[in-house]
Each structure stands twice: as C-alpha cells, then as structure tokens.
Amino acid sequence: MKPFTATIVLLLAVLLVAEGSARDLTEVEYAHALDLIMEGRHADAVAQLDSLSGTCAGQPLYLLARARVALEALPLEDDDKTLTKALSEPILVDLDRVIAWCDDALGDSDDPLYRYFRGWARMTKSQIKAVGRDFYGAGRDAGKGKGDLEAYLDSNPGAPIPSGLIGAYLYFTDAVPKLFQFLSKLLFLPTGDRGRGLEMIALAATGDSPARVDYEVLDANITFFFEGRIEDGLAKSNGLLERYPLYPRLGLASAMAAPLDPHRADAHVDRVAGVLDGLEGMAGLDSTSLETLRVTQGLALRVVTGHQAALDVLLPIASEPPT
C-alpha cells in the first residue's frame, strides 16, 4: 500500500472510532453477554459491553444489549418502586437512543431491520414501565412496538426475537393484570391472546437467535408460575439449571416447589442449596435475585424442615445492610 493511501485509511479508521460507531455489536457478542449473566457473572457482562463502548457506542444492538444486562439489576421486590425508577432511568435513555437512531435511519431507508430494532426497544420500554406500574406508558409503548415488530415479521416470518417479544405481550396482557387490559381497550390497543402468546414464546425458545436462552427461561417461568403446570415447569427450569447451575433465578422454581411437593421436598431444597453454595464467594453477582433466592429458600425450609432451619437462613439476611 502506498504511504499516502495508508495515511488516508488510518485517518478514516481513527474518525470512525472517534465517532463511536465503527460497527454494531454482533449477535455472537450479544449471546456471550447473556451467557455471562446465566453463569452468574453479571459484572463480567457489564465489563464486556463497557470494553466495546469505543467501537459500538450509539449502535442499536449494542444499546439493546446494555439495556438487557442492566435489566438484570432491577429489584424483584420494591414496594414503592423508588429504586426501580432510579435504576430504570439510564436504561430508558439507552432505549430512547435506539428509537431515535432508527427514526433517523428510516428517514433514508425502509429497511425492515430498523423497524425490528425500534420495536424491540419499544417493547423493552413497555416491560420496564409495567414493572414500575406506569401501565399507561407501558401500553402506549407496547402498541407502537407491536406494530413495528409485525411489520418486520411480514418480511421475516417466524423470526424468533420479534415473535418472542410479541408473544410475551400477548400472553401477559391476557393472563395477568386487569388494569393493563382496561388500558389496552381505552387506548385502542390490541388486547392479549394467551394461546397465541404461548405459541410465539415457544417459537422464540426454540429458534436460532442470540436471545434464545431468555425465551427458554421465560417459557419455563410461565409454565411454572403462571400456568401452574408444576411438573412441566420444574422439568424446564431444572433442565436449564443443569446448563446454568449458577444463575440464581433458575433456582426459584425449586424453592417454591418444595412446600408444594412434600414427597420430593428434600431434593428441591438440596437443588437450591447447590446453587447457593456454588455462588458463595463469587464476585460480581446479581445480588437482587440472589437475595430473593435466599429468602425463598428460607421460607421453603420453614415448611419442609422446621422453624430453626428457616431461622438459620433468614436471620443472616435480616442482619445484612440493605443494598
């Protein structure tokens, strides 16, 4: 390469990196971040994405991955939603950046990919707002996101992630909160469809996508906690737990099953103890779901083995400073 040409190439490379938009995150990198979460290494997932900020900053899949990793830190229990709101704000900023990026891109192109990313961001915003009890905002975002994702599915039928996002919306708006159903009618949004939602989630849980494991976990949780099919739900959760023995949230089904299944209660309790033992001393854990698992295990022990065993688990938790 001639010296002049080499200089031009180098300058272009420097400019691209300086703009923070040399490339977007790859699907392999997205899947790796999810694997780190499933291995109980939440801090490592954050560090992986931080290390790519100079290369991928501002790009849609990168921002969606940051939002997904940050979602893991939202508390499972937060009565007044103060902490949830504070932790959600930077996630919502990232998702708004995805939407703005896609809006700009759609001004120059009708590529369905931009509708896909925008719909994904809007559906994730809806999820966050629903957790924070902003059902009005959640409904508005979900309606727009569903439209974007359906437009993408018109040209890419059966795509796993759009199917899973729409499926979760259809299922939960039909199966869970009556207020959300009311707002859906008030805002002229499509109401839920439990059966169709389950079909689309199952498609996402078996399809080839970087987010497949998220939909496998969702499918297992819906089967156990919402559909009430204890045996099937446990089989799915325990199968995932064999692959990811250090992901705290996968132990919740076993902890909840212990008092419901007294003949196999010891096996359920031992399975959860195995998760907790494996996580002991690990750095960078998702402390929110870990604490929930410890409390649930303590309550299960109260029913299964007696008062003292539960106290042995719960008293140390109660004496810890709040996080």
Side-chain angles (χ1 to χ4, degrees):
M1 182 180 292
K2 294 180 180 180
F4 177 75
T5 305
T7 301
I8 295 297
V9 170
L10 178 60
L11 285 172
L12 287 172
V14 170
L15 285 171
L16 283 171
V17 172
E19 290 174 359
S21 57
R23 67 169 178 87
D24 201 352
L25 198 73
T26 67
E27 290 193 348
V28 171
E29 289 165 333
Y30 185 101
H32 181 56
L34 274 190
D35 279 340
L36 290 174
I37 288 174
M38 298 300 295
E39 291 166 7
R41 297 163 58 193
H42 182 259
D44 289 342
V46 174
Q48 178 213 349
L49 294 178
D50 285 348
S51 73
L52 293 167
S53 62
T55 303
C56 302
Q59 296 294 307
L61 188 58
Y62 174 75
L63 292 171
L64 287 165
R66 283 209 328 183
R68 170 60 189 89
V69 170
L71 280 174
E72 204 72 14
L74 293 187
L76 298 180
E77 299 290 339
D78 182 20
D79 290 339
D80 66 2
K81 300 301 177 183
T82 302
L83 180 57
T84 297
K85 182 178 180 181
L87 293 174
S88 296
E89 287 177 356
I91 308 176
L92 293 171
V93 169
D94 273 352
L95 295 171
D96 282 335
R97 291 174 66 194
V98 175
I99 294 168
W101 189 97
C102 293
D103 286 343
D104 288 343
L106 285 165
D108 301 320
S109 168
D110 60 355
D111 189 335
L113 184 65
Y114 305 138
R115 300 288 299 272
Y116 164 47
F117 284 140
R118 190 171 68 179
W120 188 347
R122 284 171 165 167
M123 282 300 202
T124 307
K125 283 186 67 177
S126 174
Q127 175 189 347
I128 293 170
K129 289 180 179 180
V131 170
R133 301 197 188 111
D134 176 9
F135 295 111
Y136 181 86
R140 293 295 294 269
D141 285 324
K144 293 177 181 178
K146 185 171 181 288
D148 277 336
L149 295 172
E150 287 176 335
Y152 181 79
L153 287 173
D154 285 343
S155 56
N156 297 271
I161 292 176
S163 297
L165 290 164
I166 293 175
Y169 170 82
L170 292 176
Y171 179 83
F172 286 110
T173 52
D174 189 24
V176 192
K178 297 299 180 184
L179 177 59
F180 200 93
Q181 292 181 25
F182 168 75
L183 286 172
S184 292
K185 294 175 182 176
L186 180 68
L187 299 170
F188 302 103
L189 298 173
T191 52
D193 183 337
R194 172 182 160 276
R196 178 62 178 148
L198 288 172
E199 290 174 5
M200 297 183 80
I201 291 167
L203 188 156
T206 55
D208 182 15
S209 88
R212 173 174 171 168
V213 69
D214 265 347
Y215 292 103
E216 291 183 88
V217 173
L218 178 61
D219 180 49
N221 286 339
I222 285 175
T223 302
F224 182 90
F225 292 104
F226 294 95
E227 292 293 295
R229 290 159 42 210
I230 304 301
E231 291 287 344
D232 291 343
L234 271 178
K236 291 177 179 180
S237 290
N238 291 342
L240 285 164
L241 199 54
E242 289 179 6
R243 287 161 50 193
Y244 301 104
L246 298 180
Y247 186 52
R249 300 187 187 206
L250 289 174
L252 288 172
S254 288
M256 295 288 288
L260 303 175
D261 184 18
H263 296 296
R264 292 179 294 178
D266 288 344
H268 299 314
V269 168
D270 288 346
R271 188 176 294 110
V272 179
V275 177
L276 294 172
D277 289 346
L279 291 170
E280 186 174 355
M282 280 184 64
L285 291 173
D286 165 21
S287 59
T288 297
S289 55
L290 177 59
E291 181 176 301
T292 301
L293 179 58
R294 290 168 65 196
V295 171
T296 308
Q297 173 81 324
L299 296 175
L301 287 169
R302 170 67 182 89
V303 175
V304 174
T305 63
H307 186 68
Q308 187 57 50
L311 287 177
D312 291 342
V313 172
L314 295 173
L315 285 177
I317 300 173
S319 66
E320 293 173 0
T323 57

